[in-house]
């Protein structure tokens, strides 16, 4: 694999593509090492995470350099989208991971009051993660953090688009294991072409699979995993809407949040704001603010001394499609106030840049409002009222994240409840990810959750265990009328009816009578 910098178009290096034999070896090594790792304590796992955290904090510059070189993003985008969210995940897992995986007591019932019920979360074995290129550091480290803390081994497959940096990023986690006296073989990395990836996603040695990528590829991954009934967590992107209500108190402040949501990582953000749905009272002033500020955005490569607000896109392949979507929207009545075309960088003609774009007057039936652009394109749509805003936001095949901005608590709650999405931020953008709430969507955005307690537990075998409360005093025994072979079926039936009534009759007198029948039937 020949690797190139999206911002410069320059050659970065060559990475050897893995084959079927490499995947087999990776799964085998992780499987062997996991058997020992599964017996480690939570304290040992936290030590690994603290070591990893310390390295990341001390090497933010080099990590951001690698991420910027391989994905084209700005250093600020790398700080927020790569480093901040990664150290948050590490810190949350250190503080709350054990509590999330500690066995829980569950209630019993009257008939089985002598039992103690537990739910335990135990390691699955070896899990896998196939992750996207838009956040090469965070998307790799995130699954590793959770899988390893849950007691699993992991095989991570980075995108071939960011193959150059993945070896360095995975090595950070492997080195942290080594520094703590554990085998780095617990964490395996493979970089392969899509045709070979199927061997990993259908591998019988994989107990769970996390996939972050496109809807089209997601279908293929799910089909491959189904061959061996591998459970899959799917994150397939979105068309996230930000609803702006009429009573927003500070439109300039909200516009700043919207701009971060739209243009973070050049719009290549699965939970980026793809649609702004504004009510009539704020539509015009919001458009004026956005037009002025988007016109001022600078495009370029920060690693080459340029003052850039928006970095490069990963590839120029989508440029024809993006320009066509903008042109079609304009022909259907929308207005392109800023940008709308690819940007030809004077210093880096082979870089992949698209102009920061503002398209207003967009309606829900336009293709640009339905397809995930994954680009630095800001779309503004007008809603007649709150109900209309909810309907517009929900007119999408996707349902990943969403936002709503306003002052009235009742209206905000109404919108948050009405949005068909897996996650909603109120008066903010994507903060659910910064506090480790479960991450995932509905509809075409996929299924399953990673992040938070739910994400950790999804990487475990959820085991239900019933124990005797007083094992030396009281245990289960089969009443003689119900013991095989059943001597008197009529008597056995009367006993069964009495047992059911003892446990579930609503009136205590009925239960007392049932107890009497039980005594009589077993005498």
């Amino acid at each position: 694999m020949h690797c190139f910098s999206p911002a410069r178009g320059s050659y970065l290096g060559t990475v050897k593509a893995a084959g079927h034999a490499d995947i087999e070896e990776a799964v085998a090594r992780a499987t062997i090492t996991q058997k020992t790792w599964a017996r480690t304590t939570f304290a040992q796992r936290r030590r690994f995470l603290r070591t990893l955290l310390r390295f990341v904090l001390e090497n933010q510059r080099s990590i951001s350099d690698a991420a910027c070189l391989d994905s084209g993003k700005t250093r600020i985008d790398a700080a927020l989208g790569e480093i901040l969210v990664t150290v948050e995940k590490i810190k949350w897992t250190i503080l709350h991971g054990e509590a999330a995986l500690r066995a829980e007591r569950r209630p019993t019932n009257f008939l089985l009051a002598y039992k103690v019920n537990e739910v335990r979360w135990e390691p699955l074995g070896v899990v896998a993660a196939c992750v996207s290129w838009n956040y090469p550091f965070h998307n790799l480290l995130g699954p590793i953090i959770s899988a390893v803390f849950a007691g699993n081994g992991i095989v991570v497959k980075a995108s071939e688009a960011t193959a150059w940096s993945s070896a360095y990023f995975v090595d950070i986690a492997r080195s942290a294991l080594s520094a703590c006296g554990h085998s780095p073989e617990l964490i395996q990395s493979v970089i392969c072409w899509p045709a070979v990836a199927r061997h990993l996603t259908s591998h019988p040695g994989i107990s769970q699979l996390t996939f972050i990528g496109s809807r089209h590829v997601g279908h293929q991954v799910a089909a491959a995993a189904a061959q061996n009934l591998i459970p899959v967590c799917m994150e397939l992107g979105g068309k996230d809407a930000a609803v702006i209500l009429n009573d927003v108190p500070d439109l300039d402040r909200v516009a700043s949040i919207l701009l971060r949501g739209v243009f973070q990582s050049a719009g290549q953000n699965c939970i980026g704001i793809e649609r702004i749905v504004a009510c009539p009272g704020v539509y015009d002033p919001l458009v004026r603010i956005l037009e002025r500020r988007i016109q001022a955005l600078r495009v370029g490569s920060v690693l080459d001394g340029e003052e850039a607000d928006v970095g490069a896109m990963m590839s120029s392949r989508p440029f024809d499609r993006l320009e066509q979507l903008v042109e079609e929207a304009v022909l259907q009545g929308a207005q392109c106030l800023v940008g709308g075309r690819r940007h030809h960088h004077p210093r880096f003609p082979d870089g992949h840049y698209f102009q920061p774009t503002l398209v207003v007057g967009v309606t829900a039936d336009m293709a640009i409002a339905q397809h995930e652009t994954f680009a630095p394109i800001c779309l503004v749509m007008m809603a007649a009222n709150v109900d209309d805003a909810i309907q517009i936001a929900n007119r999408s095949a996707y349902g990943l994240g969403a936002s709503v901005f306003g002052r009235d608590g009742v209206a905000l709650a109404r919108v948050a409840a009405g949005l068909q999405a897996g996650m909603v931020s109120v008066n903010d953008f994507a903060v659910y990810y910064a506090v480790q709430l479960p991450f995932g969507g509905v509809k075409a955005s996929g299924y399953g959750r990673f992040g938070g307690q739910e994400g950790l537990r999804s990487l475990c075998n959820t085991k239900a265990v019933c124990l005797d409360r007083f094992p030396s005093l009281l245990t289960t025994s089969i009443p003689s009328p119900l013991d095989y072979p059943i001597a008197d079926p009529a008597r056995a039936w009367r006993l069964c009816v009495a047992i059911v009534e003892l446990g579930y009759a609503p009136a205590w007198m009925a239960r007392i009578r049932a107890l009497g029948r039980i005594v009589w039937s077993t005498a």
Side-chain angles (χ1 to χ4, degrees):
M1 295 179 181
H2 299 291
C3 307
F4 295 86
S5 165
R8 299 168 174 169
S10 58
Y11 177 71
L12 293 174
T14 301
V15 174
K16 181 181 179 294
H20 288 192
D22 300 302
I23 291 173
E24 289 291 340
E25 183 178 0
V27 174
R29 288 186 175 185
T31 299
I32 292 170
T33 311
Q34 188 272 337
K35 295 183 188 306
T36 300
W37 180 255
R39 296 193 293 270
T40 56
T41 65
F42 285 121
Q44 289 173 302
R45 299 174 196 178
R46 279 193 294 270
R47 184 180 175 221
F48 156 69
L49 290 183
R50 290 192 183 99
T51 303
L52 180 61
L53 176 61
R54 184 165 58 250
F55 182 91
V56 174
L57 292 175
E58 293 173 356
N59 293 273
Q60 295 183 60
R61 189 78 176 188
S62 60
I63 291 170
S64 68
D65 281 347
C68 292
L69 273 171
D70 212 11
S71 67
K73 58 171 53 72
T74 68
R75 198 178 294 282
I76 300 302
D77 288 347
L80 297 175
E82 304 275 15
I83 297 171
L84 175 66
V85 288
T86 301
V87 295
E88 160 58 26
K89 190 177 188 74
I90 296 172
K91 189 68 174 179
W92 183 93
T93 308
I94 290 171
L95 294 176
H96 308 292
E98 181 177 356
L101 299 182
R102 191 183 298 130
E104 282 185 1
R105 287 286 182 94
R106 296 293 172 86
T108 188
N109 57 41
F110 180 73
L111 292 177
L112 294 173
Y114 64 96
K115 292 290 184 179
V116 173
N117 305 321
E118 285 185 356
V119 178
R120 301 172 183 175
W121 288 273
E122 299 177 350
L124 281 172
V126 175
V127 300
C130 300
V131 299
S132 57
W133 45 258
N134 53 330
Y135 291 103
F137 176 66
H138 177 68
N139 285 351
L140 269 180
L141 267 289
I144 291 173
I145 293 163
S146 297
V148 169
F149 191 82
N152 299 309
I154 184 169
V155 180
V156 287
K157 179 206 165 295
S159 168
E160 59 273 18
T162 50
W164 179 78
S165 63
S166 65
Y168 167 54
F169 293 149
V170 171
D171 232 28
I172 293 173
R174 287 169 60 91
S175 297
L177 278 173
S178 296
C180 295
H182 303 288
S183 172
E185 300 299 323
L186 186 71
I187 301 169
Q188 297 290 320
S189 173
V190 294
I191 302 293
C192 61
W193 296 111
V196 177
R198 185 181 182 88
H199 191 66
L200 175 63
T201 56
S202 64
H203 199 289
I206 297 300
S207 300
Q208 191 269 357
L209 174 64
T210 297
F211 174 76
I212 304 173
S214 70
R215 182 181 177 186
H216 170 71
V217 178
H219 281 284
Q220 300 174 36
V221 170
Q227 293 180 16
N228 282 298
L229 298 180
I230 302 171
V232 184
C233 174
M234 288 273 184
E235 194 274 276
L236 306 178
K239 192 70 180 173
D240 291 14
V243 175
I244 319 299
L245 304 180
N246 281 325
D247 63 348
V248 168
D250 187 348
L251 210 50
D252 281 303
R253 180 188 61 82
V254 170
S256 293
I257 298 173
L258 296 175
L259 289 170
R260 173 55 58 185
V262 172
F263 294 103
Q264 166 83 21
S265 196
Q268 300 166 120
N269 188 0
C270 54
I271 49 172
I273 296 175
E274 291 252 346
R275 297 171 297 154
I276 298 173
V277 183
C279 289
V282 293
Y283 180 88
D284 287 333
L286 178 60
V287 167
R288 287 193 294 270
I289 295 170
L290 292 175
E291 181 178 12
R292 171 175 53 84
R293 297 188 61 177
I294 293 172
Q295 282 176 338
L297 294 179
R298 300 158 296 181
V299 175
S301 171
V302 294
L303 295 184
D304 295 286
E306 297 188 332
E307 294 183 353
D309 303 297
V310 180
M313 292 185 64
M314 179 54 67
S315 169
S316 60
R317 283 195 299 271
F319 287 179
D320 288 341
R321 177 182 65 89
L322 294 173
E323 290 176 346
Q324 183 180 359
L325 286 172
V326 173
E327 290 169 3
E328 286 180 357
V330 170
L331 288 174
Q332 293 172 337
Q335 292 178 281
C336 181
L337 301 182
V338 184
R341 305 194 65 79
R342 68 195 73 195
H343 173 72
H344 299 282
H345 197 289
R347 289 181 61 193
F348 305 111
D350 294 325
H352 310 313
Y353 296 95
F354 199 86
Q355 297 172 351
T357 297
L358 174 62
V359 183
V360 304
V362 176
T363 56
D365 57 340
M366 295 179 182
I368 200 169
Q370 294 298 322
H371 297 285
E372 184 180 30
T373 60
F374 223 55
I377 297 177
C378 180
L379 305 181
V380 186
M381 311 168 75
M382 182 186 287
N385 49 47
V386 174
D387 288 333
D388 189 39
I390 296 171
Q391 290 179 8
I392 291 172
N394 290 338
R395 283 189 61 182
S396 168
Y398 295 98
L400 190 55
S403 304
V404 56
F405 296 83
R407 176 182 288 167
D408 178 52
V410 173
L412 289 169
R414 183 169 145 209
V415 175
L419 291 169
Q420 296 171 358
M423 304 162 289
V424 178
S425 291
V426 177
N427 286 322
D428 217 321
F429 154 68
V431 285
Y432 39 75
Y433 198 58
V435 292
Q436 287 302 297
L437 289 176
F439 185 95
V442 296
K443 301 194 290 187
S445 290
Y447 49 82
R449 296 293 185 269
F450 57 84
Q453 174 177 283
E454 291 78 4
L456 266 183
R457 290 179 172 180
S458 73
L459 295 167
C460 299
N461 171 33
T462 302
K463 181 181 286 185
V465 179
C466 287
L467 307 161
D468 289 320
R469 191 183 300 274
F470 310 108
S472 60
L473 298 177
L474 184 61
T475 59
T476 296
S477 60
I478 303 297
S480 57
L482 302 180
D483 205 6
Y484 287 120
I486 295 175
D488 185 346
R491 181 186 179 198
W493 169 252
R494 289 193 297 272
L495 176 58
C496 288
V497 170
I499 290 172
V500 171
E501 290 183 359
L502 173 65
Y504 302 100
W508 277 104
M509 285 305 299
R511 290 188 175 193
I512 292 172
R513 287 193 295 269
L515 179 60
R517 296 203 306 274
I518 291 172
V519 172
W520 177 80
S521 296
T522 56

